[in-house]
Amino acid sequence: MQKIPAGVGPRYPQVVVLVGATGDLSRRKLLPGLFHLATTGFIPGCRIIGVSLDSLDRDGFRDFARKALDEFSTRKVADADWNAFAQNLDYVPLAAGAGALKGAVDLAEKTFPGECRRLHYMSVPPSAALSAVRMLGEADLVERSRIIMEKPFGTDLASAVSLNARLHEVFEEDRIFRIDHFLGKEPAQNILAFRFANGLFEPIWNRNFIDHVQIDVPETLALGKRGPFYESIGAFRDMVVTHLFQILGFMAMEPPTALEPSPISEEKNKVFRSMLPIQPADVVRGQYTGYRSEEGIHPESDTETFIALKCLIDNWRWAGVPFFLRTGKRLAEGQRIISIAFREPPKSMFPAGSGVGAQGPDHLTFDLADASKMSLSFYGKRPGPGMRLDKLSLQFAMHDTGLIGDVLEAYERLILDAMRGDPTLFTTAEGIERLWEVSTPLLEAPPAVRPYAPGSWGPNAIHQLVAPHAWRLPFERVWRDPNRAGN
């Protein structure tokens, strides 16, 4: 069994109430993640009570969980580990009510010899979770509890304020964990280490040296079965407020006074307070051809499946530095990239035709995929006579370290943090309400959607948005494969 460092996991055994236990997220991520955490010793003890609309019994839920692990677990499921895990699974249909849920939790807690804690995971959108939250209150399951809420956290400022107010009727703010799986990824957390632990880069992380920043999350996927849900929110609400803005907060924050949850959350919120309202003129909305003919979509839909925008942070560090964000469905590649463009030298001493400036500014690039990678590009002299320069790069991949097996998946890391009561990688009520506030001009007067072809990079207007710069994706150079000979 893997040796777990002291202090990594929660101090007490956990009773997990998993609402939406038979849903897609539970199948793909939550049940496999909880299985890994429980069987490798991250949690000193764990009982899981599934709750959903389906009329299952305990054995039915265990069969469902086993099929989920067989299909989606990224690690081998040993029979002995499964048998031990299965004994810790129970199920309560939502229709059974607060009393039945209370009884199941009490029974689970009696299996622990000492003190334990509760974690309620709402694996459904917050609006659908509110009835379950009220049921938790009626069942007297709030004490010793923390609750994880899935996105979207409202659809505008008014709905976010209302949602937070209703949650606060049952749970205190420090017990609410609004999850963003992007921030649970190892590469996102590595931004903090890269920024604040290295004397080479910390001094240049500001407007004097950085020209612009791109946060680019294109997806090749279509909607699947999410058509009706997606039609009601679109790309901006689905991805930008809950994911890309959160990454921007990590990228742009000031050094916290300590590497602790409260100082880090405060610095992120300062970034959000400094953001200027998003102007419709700085936004390109797109819709891929064929979207309106998909199941559950209105034939004259105005919902965007693509969004690109420019935002500005009006503070001392970032004044005048544009942040360009882009995401969408059915695009040319699936990527998760932060690309930081450095200012070019004020004057070039190199002769015309030397290659300087031909391939744009130097870039520091973070790949936010699970296999953490980063690259620093720069000009270097081509071997031989004369002065010809080429764009070169230094690259790092987590695979190079031999530690890729130690990386927790995003949901595993975030579930573990919530059990420990660590809100560093979660969103506060203040932060999410501020982001909806700066989004208000765009939501009130969105520009018209522009068509784009599936497999492209979005509408052509994105090039005018980013001008005089250029989009970093698609890359002119590819990530090197450290396992391939000749690299």
Side-chain angles (χ1 to χ4, degrees):
M1 179 178 290
Q2 180 179 355
K3 183 176 177 60
I4 307 303
V8 170
R11 179 179 176 186
Y12 298 104
Q14 304 284 317
V15 174
V16 179
V17 176
L18 180 54
V19 179
T22 58
D24 193 57
L25 177 61
S26 178
R27 291 172 59 238
R28 292 176 176 273
K29 296 294 183 181
L30 304 183
L31 287 170
L34 286 165
F35 173 80
H36 178 241
L37 294 176
T39 56
T40 52
F42 280 99
I43 311 171
C46 184
R47 305 288 185 270
I48 300 167
I49 302 168
V51 178
S52 81
L53 294 171
D54 293 315
S55 299
L56 296 177
D57 58 13
R58 179 187 294 117
D59 289 338
F61 182 53
R62 290 174 178 174
D63 289 342
F64 175 88
R66 180 62 205 237
K67 291 176 181 176
L69 294 182
D70 288 342
E71 186 173 359
F72 295 110
S73 178
T74 59
R75 306 170 179 94
K76 182 176 176 58
V77 179
D79 287 340
D81 288 338
W82 162 251
N83 291 333
F85 182 72
Q87 296 306 307
N88 296 325
L89 297 178
D90 199 356
Y91 186 83
V92 176
L94 194 61
L101 181 57
K102 171 67 171 172
V105 171
D106 287 345
L107 185 64
E109 292 183 340
K110 288 176 182 177
T111 64
F112 297 125
E115 194 173 349
C116 65
R117 295 288 184 270
R118 303 161 180 161
L119 180 70
H120 307 304
Y121 198 120
M122 301 291 107
S123 182
V124 291
S127 57
L130 287 174
S131 59
V133 171
R134 288 192 296 270
M135 186 172 75
L136 294 173
E138 294 168 6
D140 195 24
L141 294 176
V142 176
E143 186 181 359
R144 293 181 285 110
S145 293
R146 299 183 178 101
I147 183 169
I148 295 179
M149 301 295 297
E150 276 288 342
K151 64 163 187 159
F153 316 115
T155 56
D156 54 21
L157 178 58
S159 61
V161 170
S162 174
L163 174 61
N164 285 327
R166 295 172 73 180
L167 286 174
H168 291 155
E169 291 174 358
V170 182
F171 287 91
E172 297 291 334
E173 174 63 23
D174 64 357
R175 298 286 165 170
I176 301 171
F177 291 74
R178 299 167 187 82
I179 195 168
D180 169 19
H181 71 273
F182 272 46
L183 294 188
K185 293 180 178 295
E186 199 75 29
Q189 300 160 51
N190 204 26
I191 295 171
L192 290 180
F194 192 90
R195 281 195 59 188
F196 300 127
N198 294 295
L200 177 62
F201 291 100
E202 189 281 328
I204 62 173
W205 211 267
N206 57 61
R207 59 189 289 274
N208 295 320
F209 298 94
I210 293 177
D211 184 75
H212 66 279
V213 177
Q214 294 180 26
I215 302 175
D216 215 345
V217 186
E219 297 179 297
T220 59
L221 299 175
L223 302 181
K225 298 179 180 180
R226 299 177 71 221
F229 167 76
Y230 197 88
E231 173 72 355
S232 66
I233 58 171
F236 181 78
R237 291 178 170 93
D238 185 45
M239 289 292 292
V240 176
V241 176
T242 49
H243 293 322
L244 274 63
F245 280 164
Q246 302 301 325
I247 293 292
L248 183 151
F250 256 37
M251 158 65 203
M253 62 186 271
E254 295 295 318
T257 55
L259 197 64
E260 296 174 357
S262 182
I264 291 175
S265 292
E266 173 58 18
E267 294 305 333
K268 275 180 58 186
N269 285 342
K270 284 182 182 178
V271 173
F272 300 151
R273 288 181 215 135
S274 300
M275 287 175 62
L276 295 177
I278 306 300
Q279 299 302 319
D282 293 331
V283 177
V284 175
R285 296 169 71 234
Q287 185 184 92
Y288 65 78
T289 305
Y291 171 79
R292 295 177 181 179
S293 62
E294 296 198 13
E295 184 178 353
I297 305 302
H298 192 280
E300 298 181 3
S301 172
D302 189 48
T303 299
E304 79 278 357
T305 62
F306 172 95
I307 189 101
L309 59 94
K310 178 175 74 174
C311 62
L312 298 169
I313 301 172
D314 191 24
N315 63 16
W316 195 270
R317 181 182 293 267
W318 297 113
V321 177
F323 287 73
F324 297 102
L325 282 55
R326 176 174 62 168
T327 187
K329 301 289 186 183
R330 299 291 305 273
L331 296 176
E333 294 179 21
Q335 295 277 5
R336 293 168 181 172
I337 295 293
I338 301 176
S339 190
I340 298 149
F342 293 100
R343 294 192 182 279
E344 298 189 64
K347 184 174 175 59
S348 176
M349 65 182 183
F350 296 93
S354 65
V356 172
Q359 299 184 55
D362 300 337
H363 283 85
L364 174 64
T365 303
F366 293 89
D367 185 340
L368 299 185
D370 290 321
S372 177
K373 294 183 287 188
M374 63 182 70
S375 170
L376 178 63
S377 70
F378 56 91
Y379 282 103
K381 183 183 178 299
R382 182 185 300 178
M387 183 57 73
R388 289 283 300 169
L389 279 71
D390 289 325
K391 204 72 167 185
L392 309 173
S393 67
L394 298 172
Q395 295 188 7
F396 161 83
M398 185 64 72
H399 287 283
D400 297 339
T401 67
L403 299 176
I404 190 68
D406 293 343
V407 174
L408 286 177
E409 293 188 2
Y411 279 99
E412 295 172 354
R413 167 63 189 266
L414 293 169
I415 288 171
L416 204 62
D417 281 357
M419 288 178 172
R420 296 170 54 232
D422 182 346
T424 303
L425 302 177
F426 296 85
T427 305
T428 66
E430 176 193 342
I432 198 66
E433 289 175 13
R434 172 58 184 166
L435 290 175
W436 285 120
E437 183 180 7
V438 301
S439 303
T440 297
L442 170 61
L443 298 177
E444 290 183 343
V449 293
R450 301 168 183 258
Y452 66 95
S456 70
W457 286 100
N460 289 333
I462 62 172
H463 302 296
Q464 286 75 49
L465 175 69
V466 78
H469 315 296
W471 289 102
R472 183 73 166 143
L473 286 175
F475 285 136
E476 294 180 1
R477 295 172 303 283
V478 298
W479 292 101
R480 287 194 291 271
D481 181 356
N483 299 315
R484 194 175 66 191
N487 281 326

